[in-house]
């Protein structure tokens, strides 16, 4: 009998976060940004002549969004970088991150597309980045569905089985779970850390009973709810919850499922410091309650 061809696994996207905020429509003193893709590399440019000269291998998708032509108070440059070895264009709005990527990851500076916002408002939408592990390329979009539909999301049942498997040895025999939603979105570690940093949780001061571990954990859960809902960045909640157990005394933490586009891993968050880490048998045990 002829051998069956191996099934090609579906392409997935690992969400890396919001690059910046851009204008979805034409505005005064703004220039259009054109988008083209050859199926791997995503190319954005403010130069129509450069766009028109692209090889036939690139599918021209037209105007994607608009950016300001000039620097003003409140906006920052949108940088374009390029790695020839990986044939990957990379876009970011942080001068420090640009310098680090050029220095460590063999990217070269490839110009400024215009000026963008780093915080959202009614006139701007999120320009998001994800990682495609199958193609080893970055993916960009202003359409949340393009990422969410290809994310390694989990149903409540899948999430329960994953937590049970990866937290084995930490769970109380009398443990209880509560899953409030049908499906959960799993971000990358960097995207999760960015939400934690943005929350400002590490700037709060512990107050016995009034602002202690469970309050910190609920506040951090709220930050992930806000990020998912505010501005329609997500079309489903993050796989982020609150757990109670012993470390060795009774304590509340946060739990999150991280995805790199290929596999899931369960991480804990110490809410009073905003730090992500993997659970260890020595410091975490007897988890009695998990709320997602």
């Amino acid at each position: 009998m002829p051998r069956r061809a191996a099934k090609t696994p579906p392409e997935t996207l690992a969400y890396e976060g919001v690059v910046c905020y851009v204008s979805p429509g034409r505005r005064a003193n703004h220039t259009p940004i054109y988008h083209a893709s050859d199926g791997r590399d995503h190319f954005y440019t403010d130069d129509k002549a450069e766009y028109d000269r692209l090889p036939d291998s690139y599918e021209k998708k037209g105007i994607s969004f608009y950016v300001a032509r000039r620097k003003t108070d409140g906006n920052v440059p949108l940088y374009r970088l390029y790695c020839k070895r990986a044939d990957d264009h990379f876009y970011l709005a942080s001068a420090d991150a640009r310098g680090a990527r050029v220095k460590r990851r063999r990217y070269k500076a490839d110009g400024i597309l215009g000026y963008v916002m780093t915080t959202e408002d009614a006139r701007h939408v999120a320009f998001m980045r994800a990682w495609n592990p199958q193609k080893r390329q970055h993916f960009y979009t202003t359409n949340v569905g393009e990422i969410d539909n290809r994310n390694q999301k989990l149903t409540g049942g899948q999430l329960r089985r994953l937590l049970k498997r990866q937290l084995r040895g930490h769970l109380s025999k009398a443990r209880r779970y509560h899953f409030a939603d049908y499906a959960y979105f799993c971000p990358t570690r960097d995207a999760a850390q960015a939400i934690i940093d943005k929350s400002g949780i590490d700037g709060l001061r512990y107050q016995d009973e009034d602002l202690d571990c469970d309050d910190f954990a609920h506040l951090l859960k709220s930050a992930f709810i806000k990020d998912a809902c505010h501005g329609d960045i997500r079309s489903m909640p993050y796989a982020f919850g609150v757990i109670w157990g012993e470390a060795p005394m009774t304590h509340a933490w946060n739990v999150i499922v991280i995805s790199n586009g290929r596999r899931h891993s369960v991480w804990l968050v110490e809410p009073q410091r905003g730090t992500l880490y993997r659970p260890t048998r020595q410091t975490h045990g007897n988890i009695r309650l998990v709320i997602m």
Side-chain angles (χ1 to χ4, degrees), residues 158-174:
Q158 290 170 328
L159 181 54
R160 181 188 182 113
R161 290 190 291 273
L162 180 73
L163 292 170
K164 183 177 180 181
R165 184 171 67 252
Q166 294 199 18
L167 291 177
R168 184 178 293 125
H170 305 281
L171 296 166
S172 166
K173 291 183 179 179

Side-chain angles (χ1 to χ4, degrees), residues 163 239-243 253-257 266-269 290 292:
L163 292 170
F240 188 92
V242 180
I243 60 175
W253 307 269
N254 295 104
V255 62
I256 185 170
V257 177
V266 175
W267 290 67
L268 299 182
V269 185
V290 180
M292 302 299 291

Side-chain angles (χ1 to χ4, degrees), residues 24-95:
R26 188 184 301 274
R27 292 176 57 195
N29 300 315
H30 279 59
T31 189
I33 297 298
Y34 301 91
H35 176 210
S37 173
D38 63 357
R40 286 174 50 85
D41 180 42
H42 286 266
F43 184 79
Y44 290 85
T45 181
D46 62 329
D47 186 338
K48 182 62 162 57
E50 183 181 41
Y51 176 76
D52 290 338
R53 290 194 306 267
L54 286 170
D56 292 340
S57 58
Y58 277 82
E59 178 187 356
K60 295 176 180 177
K61 300 177 181 290
I63 296 173
S64 182
F65 52 84
Y66 294 79
V67 298
R69 292 193 181 99
R70 299 178 183 85
K71 179 78 177 75
T72 60
D73 290 341
N75 67 18
V76 298
L78 176 59
Y79 300 102
R80 186 175 71 191
L81 308 179
Y82 181 63
C83 178
K84 185 176 181 179
R85 186 178 65 171
D87 188 27
D88 181 47
H89 282 91
F90 191 84
Y91 306 87
L92 70 173
S94 165

Side-chain angles (χ1 to χ4, degrees), residues 174-178 242-245 286-291:
R175 63 187 176 270
R176 296 174 60 191
Y177 299 94
H178 179 72
V242 180
I243 60 175
W244 278 262
N286 202 29
I287 294 173
R288 300 186 299 273
L289 180 62
V290 180
I291 298 178

Side-chain angles (χ1 to χ4, degrees), residues 17-269:
V18 174
V19 176
C20 59
Y21 295 89
V22 297
S23 176
R26 188 184 301 274
R27 292 176 57 195
N29 300 315
H30 279 59
T31 189
I33 297 298
Y34 301 91
H35 176 210
S37 173
D38 63 357
R40 286 174 50 85
D41 180 42
H42 286 266
F43 184 79
Y44 290 85
T45 181
D46 62 329
D47 186 338
K48 182 62 162 57
E50 183 181 41
Y51 176 76
D52 290 338
R53 290 194 306 267
L54 286 170
D56 292 340
S57 58
Y58 277 82
E59 178 187 356
K60 295 176 180 177
K61 300 177 181 290
I63 296 173
S64 182
F65 52 84
Y66 294 79
V67 298
R69 292 193 181 99
R70 299 178 183 85
K71 179 78 177 75
T72 60
D73 290 341
N75 67 18
V76 298
L78 176 59
Y79 300 102
R80 186 175 71 191
L81 308 179
Y82 181 63
C83 178
K84 185 176 181 179
R85 186 178 65 171
D87 188 27
D88 181 47
H89 282 91
F90 191 84
Y91 306 87
L92 70 173
S94 165
D96 291 341
R98 170 183 175 268
R101 184 163 286 269
V102 168
K103 184 176 180 180
R104 296 198 305 265
R105 303 206 180 181
R106 300 187 181 181
Y107 280 80
K108 291 185 177 181
D110 197 27
I112 293 174
L113 300 186
Y115 297 88
V116 296
M117 305 301 293
T118 57
T119 56
E120 64 179 309
D121 57 34
R123 299 179 298 175
H124 295 85
V125 297
F127 179 50
M128 295 165 280
R129 181 173 63 240
W131 172 250
N132 184 324
Q134 288 80 20
K135 292 181 177 178
R136 301 192 63 78
Q137 293 281 319
H138 289 96
F139 176 86
Y140 298 83
T141 184
T142 57
N143 180 353
V144 63
E146 289 189 304
I147 294 178
D148 283 11
N149 292 338
R150 293 164 62 186
N151 176 258
Q152 281 193 306
K153 53 185 174 288
L154 297 170
T155 65
Q158 290 170 328
L159 181 54
R160 181 188 182 113
R161 290 190 291 273
L162 180 73
L163 292 170
K164 183 177 180 181
R165 184 171 67 252
Q166 294 199 18
L167 291 177
R168 184 178 293 125
H170 305 281
L171 296 166
S172 166
K173 291 183 179 179
R175 63 187 176 270
R176 296 174 60 191
Y177 299 94
H178 179 72
F179 300 94
D181 299 286
Y182 173 75
Y184 296 84
F185 184 90
C186 305
T188 59
R189 182 181 175 184
D190 286 348
Q193 189 64 62
I195 298 171
I196 294 170
D197 293 344
K198 184 180 177 182
S199 74
I201 197 79
D202 61 343
L204 299 178
R205 186 176 178 181
Y206 177 91
Q207 300 176 43
D208 190 29
E209 296 299 326
D210 292 331
L211 186 58
D212 53 14
C213 61
D214 60 307
D215 302 301
F216 275 88
H218 283 296
L219 284 172
L220 204 47
K221 169 70 171 171
S222 298
F224 277 78
I225 294 172
K226 180 179 178 181
D227 188 86
C229 298
H230 199 48
D232 295 326
I233 289 178
R234 293 269 69 78
S235 62
M236 66 189 77
Y238 288 103
F240 188 92
V242 180
I243 60 175
W244 278 262
E246 296 175 2
M249 298 175 62
T250 299
H251 191 56
W253 307 269
N254 295 104
V255 62
I256 185 170
V257 177
I258 297 297
S259 169
N260 63 4
R262 291 185 180 273
R263 61 184 65 88
H264 298 98
S265 57
V266 175
W267 290 67
L268 299 182
V269 185

